[in-house]
């Protein structure tokens, strides 16, 4: 890495129009995604609720329901401000204590009706509190049925978006995603992951996760080295990742949406959706942040699936697609090197 | 209150056979409840899984499914021990730090298929760590359709069990229940409440809740005064409450189980069950404790409903039973004085 000639102050200060620029990017992201999803669905349209937050800010929640592809999907943009960040965030960024804050972001969860089409989640967000700022976000895929080519495609598109900015991004953020979207009480990943990053302030180490005990062992020293970047560089990286969402997900939808399914597959899908609920309500930082900041509950929880089942003691039968999901797809895998890493096994 | 002539040490020490006695009480409670529920259901029987916890202890999880009354119900007994209580409990009882602990309890959640039969929850538990010990527990009712007589009955039976031991118990533990089973993000109580208590060690104040901001304003100074009690007295009180469960709940089941319902009522029930999931996964101390102590996930989460719906932006239509539930039954009410407190309104 070359030494950056700029002082730390230059590197860390956000430009004066930072909030407007990120806010616009987040709105455009929401617009573009909704437009494309409506066109893919072909039947249903997004309904929008605009809302205001009494303590400052507001958002646009958009819901698509009973479509031909999407049983339910929510795409939310929000922009909120206030006098101090909530405790869950300050614990990670104590230097922001006592400072007014600004947060904007776009997030989505899509629940397709066809069990062969994966559920997907995206969230990109930006925090600013005085001179403190950081970007966070990512996207991850939760298939119900195991298709190696879908997993490879999703990861490859995200990797390309990352590689265009720094070669260390994808390996670090891919592993952080596996770590973050991990249900410790089930000993399962939520799905096949994708990328996840947080606290990207242009100065600190790339990796600052801590969700899964012992995860730090996964990371080589090299990956936790700081990568000094300007605000503009981190912003551009975040935008690239967010723009990679549609090319990463839509081809998978198109490939799977016409696959015929029956009650068996539907039951498995509604059962597995329970894990999504467990993750969002027990672990997810975004949900916690929303509930702690007196966010709009319907918007925060619009990620929850329309129909869900819990079944005591369920286990997939051996040698079924359901068992393959558990054995291979609910564990971290090196999907972009799948062919080479598995050639000896096959 | 009369001054207790015994020293603090006498009052606070548990008897040498404390664990065995509570453990037996908890097992008998599970047995009695399961026996009665099977007889009320008439069709389905409980299936039992015995399990062991690697770090120490185990339990008996019992599930009834697809019965004529109970769509799903779980009644669990557990008894676990280890080298130190988890952080969530130590935060409330720092004097137990560094001590080995023992916890036993019985808990249940019943999800009837008929939307006119309320869901119900019970949990009684006992903690011991060195000379530190305390009892906790309670029972609360979650109706989907509003019946004043059911609410009065449930509360009256629990009040009688409390009143037999101390006149301050019911008013304090009734309000603590309203406070504990409160979904702040929905601004709703989970149901019509019941009683809830925790940290009953015979010495401290009866009330030690803190779930709902500003709740302390609800309590008069008098109610937070200590009520000195021996271990035997607190044990007997806890047992009386647990034995009041069946007479509090079963008559309501018998009154409602044959009421005819259709898709409309079923949809409302599955929607409202979502609140149960939200409470258990976001707020419930028992769930958190279980997941933090490496408990058996299937047993901890057997309280979750079999079929659940989330629906963005749902609101009940005015002047319907659903609206009445929200307006009256999802707010704290003085049910045991309902007739007199509402006579002026009616």
């Amino acid at each position: 890495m070359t030494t950056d000639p700029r002082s730390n102050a230059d590197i860390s200060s956000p430009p004066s129009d930072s909030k407007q620029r990120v806010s616009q990017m987040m709105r455009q992201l929401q617009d573009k995604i909704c437009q494309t999803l409506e066109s893919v669905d072909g039947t249903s349209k997004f309904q929008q609720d605009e809302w205001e937050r009494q303590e400052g800010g507001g958002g646009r929640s958009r819901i698509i329901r009973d479509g031909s592809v999407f049983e339910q999907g929510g795409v939310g943009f929000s922009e909120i401000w206030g006098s101090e960040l909530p405790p869950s965030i300050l614990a990670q960024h104590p230097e922001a204590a006592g400072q007014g804050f600004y947060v904007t972001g776009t997030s989505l969860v899509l629940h397709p009706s066809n069990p062969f089409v994966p559920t997907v989640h995206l969230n990109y967000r930006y925090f600013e509190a005085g001179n403190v700022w950081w970007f966070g976000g990512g996207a991850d895929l939760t298939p119900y049925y195991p298709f190696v080519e879908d997993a490879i495609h999703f990861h490859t598109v995200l990797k390309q978006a990352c590689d265009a900015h720094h070669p260390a991004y994808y390996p670090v953020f891919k592993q952080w995603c596996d770590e973050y979207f991990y249900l410790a009480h089930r000993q399962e990943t939520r799905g096949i992951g994708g990328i996840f990053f947080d606290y990207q302030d242009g100065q600190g180490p790339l990796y600052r996760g801590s969700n899964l005990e012992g995860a730090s062992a996964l990371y080589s020293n090299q990956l936790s080295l700081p990568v000094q970047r300007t605000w503009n560089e981190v912003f551009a990286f975040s935008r690239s990742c967010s723009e990679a969402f549609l090319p990463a997900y839509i081809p998978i939808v198109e490939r799977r949406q016409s696959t015929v399914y029956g009650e068996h597959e539907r039951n498995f899908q509604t059962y597995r959706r329970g894990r999504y609920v467990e993750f969002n309500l027990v672990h997810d930082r975004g949900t916690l942040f929303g509930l702690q900041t007196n966010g709009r509950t319907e918007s925060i929880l619009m990620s929850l699936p329309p129909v869900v089942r819990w079944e005591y003691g369920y286990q997939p039968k051996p040698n079924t697609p359901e068992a393959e999901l558990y054995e291979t797809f609910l564990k971290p895998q090196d999907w972009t090197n799948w062919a080479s890493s598995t050639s000896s096994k096959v």
Side-chain angles (χ1 to χ4, degrees), chain A residues 288-308:
Chain A
L288 188 64
F289 176 80
L291 298 177
Q292 280 182 341
T293 51
N294 253 329
R296 184 172 180 264
T297 296
E298 286 295 316
S299 300
I300 299 164
L301 299 184
M302 74 183 178
S303 62
L304 299 180
V307 181
V308 189

Side-chain angles (χ1 to χ4, degrees), chain A residues 29-46 62-64 67-70 72-76 107-112 117 120 122 245-246 249-251 253-254 257:
Chain A
L29 178 64
Q30 186 194 34
D31 289 339
K32 178 79 189 300
I33 287 173
C34 289
Q35 224 170 12
T36 308
L37 294 177
E38 282 184 354
S39 137
V40 167
D41 190 84
T43 302
S44 190
K45 299 281 175 200
F46 279 93
R62 294 185 188 158
I63 285 271
I64 190 167
S68 46
V69 174
F70 301 109
Q72 184 178 297
V75 186
S107 63
L108 73 79
V109 173
L110 304 176
H111 295 288
V117 183
V120 74
L122 161 150
F245 169 73
L246 288 170
Y249 182 59
I250 298 299
V253 175
E254 288 173 340
Q257 63 180 340

Side-chain angles (χ1 to χ4, degrees), chain A residues 164-183:
Chain A
H165 293 265
H166 199 290
Y169 282 161
Y170 176 77
V172 180
F173 299 153
K174 188 272 180 197
Q175 289 191 63
W176 197 346
C177 188
D178 286 337
E179 174 197 325
Y180 183 78
F181 293 102
Y182 183 74
L183 282 91

Side-chain angles (χ1 to χ4, degrees), chain A residues 19 53-57 80-87 89-90 93-103 128-130 289 292-294:
Chain A
K19 296 171 189 172
R53 178 173 167 275
Q54 201 164 6
E55 297 89 338
I80 72 170
W81 51 85
S83 52
E84 192 178 67
L85 285 163
I89 308 289
L90 284 178
H93 258 277
E95 69 275 28
Q99 304 259 29
F101 74 93
Y102 172 88
V103 185
E128 204 177 295
F289 176 80
Q292 280 182 341
T293 51
N294 253 329

Side-chain angles (χ1 to χ4, degrees), chain A residues 102-294:
Chain A
Y102 172 88
V103 185
T104 187
T106 283
S107 63
L108 73 79
V109 173
L110 304 176
H111 295 288
S113 34
N114 189 318
F116 292 104
V117 183
T119 283
V120 74
H121 163 248
L122 161 150
N123 171 256
Y124 289 96
R125 54 190 185 244
Y126 173 70
F127 288 75
E128 204 177 295
N131 271 329
V132 179
W133 59 269
W134 70 93
F135 287 87
D140 65 288
L141 194 77
T142 306
Y144 301 96
Y145 282 89
F147 295 102
V148 166
E149 67 208 274
D150 294 354
I152 293 174
H153 171 81
F154 190 77
H155 273 273
T156 302
V157 174
L158 293 179
K159 180 175 188 297
Q160 285 162 354
C162 290
D163 287 353
H165 293 265
H166 199 290
Y169 282 161
Y170 176 77
V172 180
F173 299 153
K174 188 272 180 197
Q175 289 191 63
W176 197 346
C177 188
D178 286 337
E179 174 197 325
Y180 183 78
F181 293 102
Y182 183 74
L183 282 91
H185 66 280
R186 298 288 191 179
Q187 297 184 275
E188 293 169 9
T189 55
R190 182 164 82 171
I192 60 139
I195 57 168
F196 177 83
F197 56 87
D198 207 354
Y199 313 120
Q200 298 300 306
D201 58 7
Q203 297 193 88
L206 291 185
Y207 171 69
R208 300 198 205 170
S210 62
N211 193 36
L212 175 60
E213 267 178 39
S216 57
L218 290 171
Y219 299 89
S220 69
N221 287 333
Q222 176 209 330
L223 298 186
S224 60
L225 281 177
V227 176
Q228 292 219 327
R229 298 155 291 164
T230 63
W231 187 95
N232 278 314
E233 285 164 349
V234 185
F235 176 52
F237 161 67
S238 190
R239 173 151 49 192
S240 293
C241 290
S242 73
E243 288 171 353
F245 169 73
L246 288 170
Y249 182 59
I250 298 299
I252 298 171
V253 175
E254 288 173 340
R255 195 146 60 200
R256 305 294 164 206
Q257 63 180 340
S258 303
T259 310
V260 175
Y261 66 93
E263 200 185 349
H264 175 80
E265 290 80 14
R266 174 68 176 171
N267 277 342
F268 185 61
Q269 177 203 47
T270 53
Y271 173 76
R272 290 293 315 168
R273 281 175 174 174
R275 300 292 206 273
Y276 224 83
V277 176
E278 290 176 24
F279 184 85
N280 283 11
L281 297 184
V282 176
H283 294 297
D284 189 57
R285 216 172 287 171
T287 303
L288 188 64
F289 176 80
L291 298 177
Q292 280 182 341
T293 51
N294 253 329

